[in-house]
């Protein structure tokens, strides 16, 4: 990254409140320094625990210790409900076990959010027993258009509100942690 992480962080908008960051399997000094720079800017960090960040099973409590003062919330999983190159596809039971084990290992130091859902898959939505461990859920409504959208609509793949409503049965806050138009639908490279 040209200029280093502090240069990039200095360019962040003063209006920003949260930054989403992929967690590392083994945090090194550079990554921890980056997280500290974000905290110094008074930004809250949503750390994504995906297949690159976690070992084959839930990590031991010692995995979380370096992050206690640097990460505000942990997103457990990344699009476990779909299959794509950037997703960590899991069965509903595997995702539930991961949520339970991460929250158990991480303790009370974080806000826990369930993992970047993209499909509206009712199998994951009906797995309400995971809700006991979570403070919120995150969704990735790629290609979904908000109600009343008057901009370009040739890439719209459905209704944003419709997707959000599919996750309301969790009865918890719903965060959008990724958003945008799919590249292959817009002609954007």
């Amino acid at each position: 990254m040209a200029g280093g992480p502090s240069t990039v962080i200095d360019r962040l908008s003063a209006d920003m409140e949260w930054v989403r960051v992929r967690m590392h399997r083994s945090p090194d000094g550079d990554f921890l320094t980056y997280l500290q720079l974000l905290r110094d800017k008074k930004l809250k960090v949503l750390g994504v625990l995906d297949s690159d960040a976690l070992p084959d099973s839930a990590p031991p409590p010692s995995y979380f210790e370096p992050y206690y003062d640097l990460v505000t919330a942990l997103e457990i999983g990344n699009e476990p409900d779909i299959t794509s190159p950037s997703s960590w596809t899991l069965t509903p039971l595997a995702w539930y076990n991961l949520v339970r084990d991460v929250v158990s290992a991480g303790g009370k130091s974080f806000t826990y959010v369930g993992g970047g859902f993209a499909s509206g898959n009712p199998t994951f939505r009906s797995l309400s027993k995971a809700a006991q461990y979570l403070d919120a859920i995150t969704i990735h409504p790629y290609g979904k258009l908000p109600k009343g959208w008057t901009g370009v609509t040739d890439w719209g793949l459905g209704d944003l509100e419709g997707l959000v409503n599919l996750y309301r049965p969790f009865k918890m806050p719903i965060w959008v942690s990724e958003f945008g138009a799919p590249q292959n639908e817009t002609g954007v490279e």
Side-chain angles (χ1 to χ4, degrees), residues 6 11 53 67 77 91 105 108 148 163:
S6 62
R11 293 181 183 165
Y67 300 120
T91 66
K108 300 288 182 194
L163 180 66

Side-chain angles (χ1 to χ4, degrees), residues 23 35 39 45-47 67-74 109-110:
M23 302 298 283
L35 293 175
R39 291 306 296 225
V45 174
L46 172 62
Y67 300 120
Y68 284 152
D69 295 325
L70 301 174
V71 175
T72 307
L74 292 172
S109 298
F110 306 102

Side-chain angles (χ1 to χ4, degrees), residues 20 48 75-82 87 95 113-119 137-142 167 175 177-178:
R20 183 176 184 263
V48 179
E75 179 180 302
I76 305 169
N78 184 56
E79 300 173 352
D81 58 332
I82 66 171
S87 300
W95 177 75
V113 297
F117 294 109
S119 73
I137 61 168
T138 58
I139 62 171
H140 296 172
Y142 283 102
Y167 291 101
W175 299 4
S177 62
E178 290 183 21

Side-chain angles (χ1 to χ4, degrees), residues 37-118:
L37 289 167
L38 292 171
R39 291 306 296 225
D40 291 349
K41 286 285 195 178
K42 308 292 187 232
L43 292 166
K44 296 176 187 172
V45 174
L46 172 62
V48 179
L49 295 171
D50 62 11
S51 59
D52 291 333
L54 292 178
D56 295 333
S57 59
S62 60
Y63 171 87
F64 297 98
E65 290 171 5
Y67 300 120
Y68 284 152
D69 295 325
L70 301 174
V71 175
T72 307
L74 292 172
E75 179 180 302
I76 305 169
N78 184 56
E79 300 173 352
D81 58 332
I82 66 171
T83 301
S84 82
S86 64
S87 300
W88 184 16
T89 306
L90 298 169
T91 66
L93 181 59
W95 177 75
Y96 165 77
N97 289 335
L98 180 67
V99 168
R100 181 197 60 211
D101 295 348
V102 164
V103 172
S104 175
K108 300 288 182 194
S109 298
F110 306 102
T111 297
Y112 295 99
V113 297
F117 294 109

Side-chain angles (χ1 to χ4, degrees), residues 8-29:
V8 172
I9 292 168
D10 287 340
R11 293 181 183 165
L12 294 175
S13 168
D15 297 331
M16 289 180 64
E17 187 175 337
W18 285 87
V19 175
R20 183 176 184 263
V21 175
R22 287 182 67 195
M23 302 298 283
H24 288 198
R25 188 175 296 250
S26 300
D28 60 22

Side-chain angles (χ1 to χ4, degrees), residues 79-82 95 114-128 131 134 136-142 144 159-176:
E79 300 173 352
D81 58 332
I82 66 171
W95 177 75
F117 294 109
S119 73
N121 181 330
T123 305
F124 278 91
R125 287 186 289 108
S126 67
L127 194 59
S128 60
L134 300 172
I137 61 168
T138 58
I139 62 171
H140 296 172
Y142 283 102
K144 305 294 186 203
D159 174 43
L160 174 60
E161 187 175 343
L163 180 66
V164 169
N165 286 337
L166 291 172
Y167 291 101
R168 291 201 192 283
F170 272 112
K171 298 191 183 319
M172 64 180 59
I174 299 169
W175 299 4
V176 174

